[in-house]
Amino acid sequence: MTPDTMTDTVSATPAAPPMLRLQNVESAYGPIKAIRGVSLKVQPGEIATVLGSNGAGKSTILKTISGILDPQRGSVEFEGVDITANDPAAIVRRGMVHVPEGREVFALLSVRDNLMMGAYTRSDSDAVARDLELVYSYFPILHERSGQEAGLLSGGQQQMLAISRALMGNPKLILLDEPSLGLSPRLTKEIFEIVVRINRERGTTILLVEQNANMALNAADFGYVLENGRIVMEDSCANLREKDDIKEFYLGMKDEGVRGERRWKKKKTWR
């Protein structure tokens, strides 16, 4: 085979199919439409993020994917299988776990029992024991507090527990909703560092929704910008960080050449 032929063969190799694909998804709460025509995809092994302000529809996307909320139209595919409006328990068994906004730990159960609840679909007890030690290595404080009621943990520790509980299910894909919510900058940085480690070391695919655009863009590979329920921009996170609208409206970096123009009067280029 000649070098030219080899080049042609490599370039003709099809890209890997996405692990998760949404096509023209619309979801609503009663008469109020929360997301409109949302299409996105997440490739195996990557961290993808959806950025947007409070109320943009980010959490609704995750609820629709995980089966908590049935879409009015559109489709959700996971590993090539249509899972639109499937039962959430069936989706978990397929290898997708949702870490909801606000942590939602079992307050009256111990930390260890919360973690074991994450493994309730598994029968491989030896692997479960190894994963328990693994999550303790990520978050040593959980090992120290393993016998304590989860409701007595701090907000940051509860977020660590919620992520660890998801890992105990040995998921292929984690839906991670606002992990920085209510946390100090130090704890936010620590949580995001562990999220990146989980992705790099375990190969776990992650779809992250987050208001903290700076942390999300630094952690993720590919990003979507959501406004008023619609995807208005998508690109690699490296490219998004360089876009003027993202710098000003999401990263708080004002153009030094513009003076006296109020931020709320400026229009974003995607409008």
Side-chain angles (χ1 to χ4, degrees):
M1 183 179 292
T2 67
D4 288 343
T5 305
M6 291 175 64
T7 302
D8 290 343
T9 302
V10 171
S11 62
T13 302
M19 176 174 285
L20 178 71
R21 186 197 303 271
L22 275 65
Q23 297 189 77
N24 299 316
V25 171
E26 296 189 359
S27 296
Y29 300 98
I32 301 172
K33 192 164 289 186
I35 55 174
R36 306 163 182 266
V38 168
S39 295
L40 61 80
K41 59 185 177 181
V42 182
Q43 295 297 138
E46 80 172 359
I47 302 177
T49 186
V50 179
L51 306 177
S53 60
N54 189 35
K58 303 186 303 299
S59 295
T60 302
I61 290 177
L62 297 193
K63 290 177 181 178
T64 303
I65 295 169
S66 64
I68 296 172
L69 184 65
D70 291 348
Q72 292 182 329
R73 64 180 59 183
S75 65
V76 180
E77 293 180 7
F78 180 54
E79 295 190 313
V81 177
D82 190 336
I83 61 166
T84 311
N86 279 14
D87 184 77
I91 293 174
V92 170
R93 287 186 172 87
R94 285 189 174 275
M96 183 193 304
V97 177
H98 185 177
V99 181
E101 180 182 3
R103 275 89 67 177
E104 301 291 346
V105 300
F106 299 103
L108 298 181
L109 295 183
S110 69
V111 168
R112 188 182 187 282
D113 285 346
N114 266 268
L115 293 172
M116 295 309 294
M117 285 295 291
Y120 82 97
T121 60
R122 301 175 62 180
S123 57
D124 50 341
S125 57
D126 290 343
V128 168
R130 288 194 297 271
D131 283 346
L132 183 62
E133 293 305 313
L134 179 65
V135 299
Y136 283 155
S137 72
Y138 285 136
F139 301 110
I141 189 64
L142 297 183
H143 196 189
E144 295 175 23
R145 305 287 176 87
S146 61
Q148 180 178 317
E149 288 184 1
L152 300 178
L153 297 176
S154 69
Q157 291 164 359
Q158 288 187 16
Q159 185 65 71
M160 295 173 187
L161 178 57
I163 294 171
S164 296
R165 183 178 60 192
L167 287 175
M168 290 299 296
N170 192 28
K172 302 171 185 175
L173 172 64
I174 295 177
L175 308 177
L176 188 53
D177 195 349
E178 300 280 11
S180 73
L181 185 67
L183 302 187
S184 67
R186 181 184 64 81
L187 276 175
T188 297
K189 183 174 182 292
E190 182 178 346
I191 292 289
F192 270 86
E193 287 174 349
I194 295 297
V195 168
V196 172
R197 277 187 62 193
I198 291 167
N199 171 256
R200 303 298 186 254
E201 295 175 4
R202 293 171 61 98
T204 306
T205 305
I206 297 171
L207 177 58
L208 163 73
V209 304
E210 181 58 61
Q211 287 190 61
N212 188 329
N214 187 48
M215 295 299 295
L217 288 174
N218 283 320
D221 304 298
F222 198 88
Y224 298 86
V225 179
L226 187 73
E227 286 209 348
N228 299 319
R230 299 181 185 277
I231 300 290
V232 295
M233 183 180 290
E234 62 182 80
D235 207 334
S236 69
C237 288
N239 288 340
L240 286 177
R241 284 194 298 268
E242 299 304 315
K243 293 185 182 293
D244 291 339
D245 282 339
I246 300 297
K247 286 181 179 180
E248 177 159 0
F249 292 96
Y250 287 92
L251 301 179
M253 300 166 61
K254 186 174 181 179
D255 187 348
E256 294 181 358
V258 177
R259 300 187 61 184
E261 186 173 10
R262 295 185 183 273
R263 184 174 179 272
W264 56 268
K265 286 187 176 181
K266 293 192 68 176
K267 290 185 178 180
K268 299 167 187 174
T269 57
W270 57 69
R271 287 187 175 175

